[in-house]
């Protein structure tokens, strides 16, 4: 675990305690379970979480406010859970809609990004996105044309977006919101806003 920066003595104590915890869990598992697979399951239910907690603690020890604007206790788990929720929603939606629908719905992302970054990152970013309003409108028109397709208006009612389409767009919105949060944190830490 030399990748995570940590003072040498703290890393040594942490590694030693992790090995001791593994030994204790193995001993308790061998004493209370009959098969090796049950011992393995018992041990691996808790020990990997101890390793993850150790990594988070090491990140918190070595946090340098001037260089890293993120807190390992608050920001990193929030970013990870946001990403996990977004990808879970995308996979959940992708089971019910076609791959072409997924491809077309990803074109909502620049529009979502323009709206969120314009509101969160200030006037300079708003002016940047305002220059591309025509591109965003063309994207929205193309998405609309795809949804209408070659059908008549009487059949259009049956092709309204479903819940899965909404979940896919929500997932893309979560990914864009995560990126905007990261950009804003870096801008604030470097006084760029």
């Amino acid at each position: 675990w030399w990748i995570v920066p940590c003072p040498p003595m703290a890393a040594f104590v942490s590694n030693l305690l992790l090995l001791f915890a593994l030994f204790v869990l193995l001993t308790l598992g061998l004493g209370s379970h009959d098969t090796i697979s049950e011992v393995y399951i018992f041990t691996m239910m808790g020990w990997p979480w101890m390793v993850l907690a150790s990594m988070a603690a090491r990140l918190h020890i070595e946090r340098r406010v001037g260089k890293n604007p993120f807190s390992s206790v608050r920001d990193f788990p929030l970013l990870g859970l946001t990403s996990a929720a977004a990808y879970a929603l995308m996979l959940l939606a992708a089971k019910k809609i076609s791959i072409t629908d997924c491809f077309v719905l990803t074109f909502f992302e620049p529009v979502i990004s323009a709206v969120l970054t314009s509101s969160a990152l200030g006037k300079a970013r708003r002016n940047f996105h305002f220059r591309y309003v025509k591109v965003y409108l063309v994207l929205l028109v193309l998405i609309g044309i795809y949804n209408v397709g070659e059908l008549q208006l009487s059949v259009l009612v049956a092709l309204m977006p479903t819940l899965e389409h909404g979940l896919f767009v929500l997932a893309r919105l979560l990914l864009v919101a995560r990126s905007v949060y990261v950009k804003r944190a870096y801008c604030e830490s470097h006084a760029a806003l």
Side-chain angles (χ1 to χ4, degrees):
W1 298 309
W2 54 272
I3 297 172
V4 179
C6 187
M9 193 61 191
F12 175 74
V13 170
S14 176
N15 291 341
L16 193 65
L17 288 174
L18 285 172
L19 290 175
F20 179 71
L22 179 63
F23 175 74
V24 168
L25 286 172
L26 282 172
T27 305
L28 289 172
L30 288 171
S32 60
H33 295 288
D34 299 330
T35 64
I36 295 295
S37 63
E38 288 177 349
V39 172
Y40 175 77
I41 291 169
F42 174 78
T43 304
M44 291 302 142
M45 281 188 325
W47 191 72
W49 292 104
M50 293 178 196
V51 174
L52 288 173
S54 170
M55 293 297 117
R58 290 178 191 194
L59 287 171
H60 191 65
I61 287 173
E62 192 57 30
R63 180 173 181 231
R64 288 178 233 126
V65 177
K67 293 188 177 183
N68 187 2
F70 301 108
S71 166
S72 58
V73 177
R74 185 191 71 224
D75 294 326
F76 287 149
L78 176 70
L79 293 171
L81 288 173
T82 303
S83 300
Y87 287 121
L89 286 174
M90 272 195 291
L91 288 175
L92 188 66
K95 288 200 266 183
K96 301 280 174 96
I97 60 178
S98 69
I99 193 72
T100 312
D101 284 349
C102 293
F103 179 72
V104 170
L105 289 175
T106 57
F107 285 106
F108 272 118
E109 191 167 325
V111 178
I112 295 169
S113 177
V115 171
L116 288 181
T117 55
S118 295
S119 62
L121 296 179
K123 187 176 181 179
R125 192 59 90 142
R126 195 173 309 118
N127 291 338
F128 172 77
H129 286 294
F130 188 70
R131 284 184 263 159
Y132 293 100
V133 167
K134 291 177 187 173
V135 174
Y136 302 139
L137 288 176
V138 167
L139 284 174
L140 291 175
V141 167
L142 289 175
I143 292 170
I145 290 172
Y146 169 78
N147 284 335
V148 173
E150 297 177 8
L151 300 174
Q152 299 169 358
L153 288 178
S154 61
V155 187
L156 182 61
V157 178
L159 288 178
M160 294 304 287
T162 62
L163 174 67
E164 285 77 20
H165 290 92
L167 287 178
F168 195 88
V169 172
L170 176 65
R172 301 310 291 185
L173 183 130
L174 284 174
L175 290 175
V176 170
R178 180 201 62 186
S179 299
V180 170
Y181 179 75
V182 169
K183 289 176 186 176
R184 184 166 178 85
Y186 275 117
C187 286
E188 287 175 353
S189 72
H190 296 300
L193 279 180

